[in-house]
Amino acid sequence: MIGTAFLEENKSKDDIKEELDTLEIQLFRMQNNIKEIAKKWEIISIDQTNDNNWVVIYADKGTEACQIMLHDCDAAFRGDWNAAIQAEYKNENTIHIADIKGQQNKGYGSILMNYLKELAHNENVQYITGDIVERDFDHVNRLMHFYRKHNFDVKIDHTEQYGEIICNER
């Protein structure tokens, strides 16, 4: 399969070698990153970003809150995540998104949202909710697009600079 993809794109041997070398480096980093992350957090999965970088997804779950984090294997893990969703359990039926942090336009938020939804499903939580607050209004259009893309109902009051989201997949 891989050989066919390479042939179809008419890549040179040097291009193929460079891609394989990059992949090998990412896999080596991933292995080391997983070892370091697993010392403190629960490893959930590995995934790929839009630009085909491998990422490690891990979590810090408590009884009142959880944080799902992501580390991009383009660099060694040094104790900090590249992106995270912080959420709290409002009750047995609701996870409330407190914040999403990380670099924009890398696909990190979408990867994390998918794992938050999976967590909610596995824990039989019916609702994922959240607020859009005043500090978010400098990028409210981007947030609206993001949440709608992930099947959330988004209600925005531009006058009050406040909004609410609720996942409507359930």
mmCIF file of all heavy atoms in Angstrom, residues 29-46:
data_model
loop_
_atom_site.group_PDB
_atom_site.id
_atom_site.type_symbol
_atom_site.label_atom_id
_atom_site.label_comp_id
_atom_site.label_asym_id
_atom_site.label_seq_id
_atom_site.Cartn_x
_atom_site.Cartn_y
_atom_site.Cartn_z
ATOM 1 N N ARG A 29 10.655 9.253 19.019
ATOM 2 C CA ARG A 29 10.214 10.236 20.021
ATOM 3 C C ARG A 29 8.933 9.788 20.701
ATOM 4 O O ARG A 29 8.769 9.963 21.908
ATOM 5 C CB ARG A 29 9.997 11.597 19.360
ATOM 6 C CG ARG A 29 11.259 12.364 19.150
ATOM 7 C CD ARG A 29 10.943 13.803 18.793
ATOM 8 N NE ARG A 29 12.131 14.491 18.378
ATOM 9 C CZ ARG A 29 12.252 15.152 17.243
ATOM 10 N NH1 ARG A 29 11.245 15.234 16.410
ATOM 11 N NH2 ARG A 29 13.373 15.756 16.934
ATOM 12 N N MET A 30 8.001 9.226 19.893
ATOM 13 C CA MET A 30 6.734 8.775 20.463
ATOM 14 C C MET A 30 6.983 7.733 21.542
ATOM 15 O O MET A 30 6.397 7.801 22.632
ATOM 16 C CB MET A 30 5.823 8.196 19.383
ATOM 17 C CG MET A 30 4.472 7.772 19.912
ATOM 18 S SD MET A 30 3.477 6.837 18.736
ATOM 19 C CE MET A 30 3.625 7.760 17.256
ATOM 20 N N GLN A 31 7.841 6.787 21.267
ATOM 21 C CA GLN A 31 8.154 5.746 22.243
ATOM 22 C C GLN A 31 8.704 6.362 23.534
ATOM 23 O O GLN A 31 8.246 6.034 24.631
ATOM 24 C CB GLN A 31 9.162 4.769 21.644
ATOM 25 C CG GLN A 31 9.538 3.638 22.569
ATOM 26 C CD GLN A 31 10.575 2.719 21.942
ATOM 27 O OE1 GLN A 31 11.289 3.090 21.015
ATOM 28 N NE2 GLN A 31 10.660 1.507 22.456
ATOM 29 N N ASN A 32 9.644 7.265 23.408
ATOM 30 C CA ASN A 32 10.213 7.926 24.584
ATOM 31 C C ASN A 32 9.193 8.813 25.282
ATOM 32 O O ASN A 32 9.134 8.859 26.515
ATOM 33 C CB ASN A 32 11.458 8.734 24.195
ATOM 34 C CG ASN A 32 12.624 7.829 23.864
ATOM 35 O OD1 ASN A 32 12.750 6.747 24.416
ATOM 36 N ND2 ASN A 32 13.458 8.267 22.943
ATOM 37 N N ASN A 33 8.387 9.537 24.499
ATOM 38 C CA ASN A 33 7.364 10.404 25.080
ATOM 39 C C ASN A 33 6.343 9.594 25.877
ATOM 40 O O ASN A 33 5.952 9.989 26.982
ATOM 41 C CB ASN A 33 6.661 11.220 23.996
ATOM 42 C CG ASN A 33 7.560 12.268 23.379
ATOM 43 O OD1 ASN A 33 8.612 12.600 23.899
ATOM 44 N ND2 ASN A 33 7.152 12.791 22.233
ATOM 45 N N ILE A 34 5.919 8.472 25.326
ATOM 46 C CA ILE A 34 4.940 7.628 26.016
ATOM 47 C C ILE A 34 5.516 7.141 27.347
ATOM 48 O O ILE A 34 4.831 7.144 28.374
ATOM 49 C CB ILE A 34 4.480 6.459 25.121
ATOM 50 C CG1 ILE A 34 3.549 6.999 24.024
ATOM 51 C CG2 ILE A 34 3.787 5.372 25.930
ATOM 52 C CD1 ILE A 34 3.176 5.976 22.960
ATOM 53 N N LYS A 35 6.774 6.736 27.351
ATOM 54 C CA LYS A 35 7.413 6.283 28.605
ATOM 55 C C LYS A 35 7.382 7.390 29.656
ATOM 56 O O LYS A 35 7.077 7.143 30.822
ATOM 57 C CB LYS A 35 8.858 5.866 28.339
ATOM 58 C CG LYS A 35 9.000 4.545 27.647
ATOM 59 C CD LYS A 35 10.473 4.245 27.405
ATOM 60 C CE LYS A 35 10.657 3.010 26.561
ATOM 61 N NZ LYS A 35 12.087 2.757 26.255
ATOM 62 N N GLU A 36 7.705 8.614 29.252
ATOM 63 C CA GLU A 36 7.739 9.735 30.199
ATOM 64 C C GLU A 36 6.332 10.127 30.655
ATOM 65 O O GLU A 36 6.102 10.359 31.844
ATOM 66 C CB GLU A 36 8.453 10.940 29.577
ATOM 67 C CG GLU A 36 9.940 10.754 29.435
ATOM 68 C CD GLU A 36 10.635 10.439 30.754
ATOM 69 O OE1 GLU A 36 10.404 11.163 31.742
ATOM 70 O OE2 GLU A 36 11.408 9.458 30.791
ATOM 71 N N ILE A 37 5.406 10.224 29.731
ATOM 72 C CA ILE A 37 4.040 10.627 30.065
ATOM 73 C C ILE A 37 3.386 9.598 30.986
ATOM 74 O O ILE A 37 2.703 9.956 31.954
ATOM 75 C CB ILE A 37 3.206 10.842 28.778
ATOM 76 C CG1 ILE A 37 3.735 12.069 28.021
ATOM 77 C CG2 ILE A 37 1.724 10.997 29.102
ATOM 78 C CD1 ILE A 37 3.200 12.199 26.595
ATOM 79 N N ALA A 38 3.611 8.315 30.719
ATOM 80 C CA ALA A 38 2.971 7.242 31.493
ATOM 81 C C ALA A 38 3.420 7.218 32.954
ATOM 82 O O ALA A 38 2.750 6.629 33.797
ATOM 83 C CB ALA A 38 3.241 5.894 30.834
ATOM 84 N N LYS A 39 4.519 7.870 33.271
ATOM 85 C CA LYS A 39 4.966 7.937 34.660
ATOM 86 C C LYS A 39 4.002 8.729 35.532
ATOM 87 O O LYS A 39 3.934 8.519 36.740
ATOM 88 C CB LYS A 39 6.360 8.581 34.740
ATOM 89 C CG LYS A 39 7.457 7.714 34.168
ATOM 90 C CD LYS A 39 8.785 8.437 34.208
ATOM 91 C CE LYS A 39 9.896 7.599 33.584
ATOM 92 N NZ LYS A 39 11.187 8.339 33.565
ATOM 93 N N LYS A 40 3.257 9.642 34.912
ATOM 94 C CA LYS A 40 2.395 10.538 35.694
ATOM 95 C C LYS A 40 0.922 10.503 35.273
ATOM 96 O O LYS A 40 0.041 10.762 36.088
ATOM 97 C CB LYS A 40 2.944 11.968 35.577
ATOM 98 C CG LYS A 40 2.278 12.947 36.496
ATOM 99 C CD LYS A 40 2.981 14.273 36.508
ATOM 100 C CE LYS A 40 2.262 15.248 37.430
ATOM 101 N NZ LYS A 40 2.872 16.552 37.442
ATOM 102 N N TRP A 41 0.647 10.218 34.004
ATOM 103 C CA TRP A 41 -0.718 10.291 33.497
ATOM 104 C C TRP A 41 -1.131 8.998 32.807
ATOM 105 O O TRP A 41 -0.300 8.160 32.480
ATOM 106 C CB TRP A 41 -0.845 11.447 32.502
ATOM 107 C CG TRP A 41 -0.634 12.785 33.120
ATOM 108 C CD1 TRP A 41 -1.489 13.481 33.922
ATOM 109 C CD2 TRP A 41 0.532 13.612 32.993
ATOM 110 N NE1 TRP A 41 -0.933 14.682 34.301
ATOM 111 C CE2 TRP A 41 0.315 14.788 33.739
ATOM 112 C CE3 TRP A 41 1.747 13.484 32.317
ATOM 113 C CZ2 TRP A 41 1.243 15.811 33.830
ATOM 114 C CZ3 TRP A 41 2.676 14.505 32.406
ATOM 115 C CH2 TRP A 41 2.417 15.656 33.158
ATOM 116 N N GLU A 42 -2.432 8.901 32.545
ATOM 117 C CA GLU A 42 -2.984 7.758 31.822
ATOM 118 C C GLU A 42 -2.882 8.019 30.319
ATOM 119 O O GLU A 42 -3.413 9.009 29.823
ATOM 120 C CB GLU A 42 -4.455 7.562 32.210
ATOM 121 C CG GLU A 42 -5.152 6.484 31.430
ATOM 122 C CD GLU A 42 -6.652 6.431 31.687
ATOM 123 O OE1 GLU A 42 -7.125 7.047 32.664
ATOM 124 O OE2 GLU A 42 -7.346 5.785 30.885
ATOM 125 N N ILE A 43 -2.204 7.137 29.610
ATOM 126 C CA ILE A 43 -2.133 7.236 28.153
ATOM 127 C C ILE A 43 -3.468 6.751 27.591
ATOM 128 O O ILE A 43 -3.935 5.661 27.930
ATOM 129 C CB ILE A 43 -0.988 6.368 27.575
ATOM 130 C CG1 ILE A 43 0.360 6.741 28.179
ATOM 131 C CG2 ILE A 43 -0.975 6.433 26.052
ATOM 132 C CD1 ILE A 43 0.908 8.072 27.774
ATOM 133 N N ILE A 44 -4.080 7.563 26.755
ATOM 134 C CA ILE A 44 -5.356 7.196 26.149
ATOM 135 C C ILE A 44 -5.143 6.591 24.771
ATOM 136 O O ILE A 44 -5.714 5.568 24.432
ATOM 137 C CB ILE A 44 -6.292 8.409 26.048
ATOM 138 C CG1 ILE A 44 -6.660 8.913 27.431
ATOM 139 C CG2 ILE A 44 -7.546 8.059 25.261
ATOM 140 C CD1 ILE A 44 -7.491 10.166 27.426
ATOM 141 N N SER A 45 -4.304 7.242 23.966
ATOM 142 C CA SER A 45 -4.169 6.796 22.585
ATOM 143 C C SER A 45 -3.008 7.521 21.915
ATOM 144 O O SER A 45 -2.382 8.406 22.511
ATOM 145 C CB SER A 45 -5.464 7.089 21.821
ATOM 146 O OG SER A 45 -5.419 6.546 20.512
ATOM 147 N N ILE A 46 -2.762 7.152 20.673
ATOM 148 C CA ILE A 46 -1.927 7.938 19.772
ATOM 149 C C ILE A 46 -2.793 8.266 18.570
ATOM 150 O O ILE A 46 -3.759 7.563 18.275
ATOM 151 C CB ILE A 46 -0.633 7.202 19.355
ATOM 152 C CG1 ILE A 46 -0.961 5.878 18.685
ATOM 153 C CG2 ILE A 46 0.286 7.020 20.531
ATOM 154 C CD1 ILE A 46 0.248 5.197 18.060
#
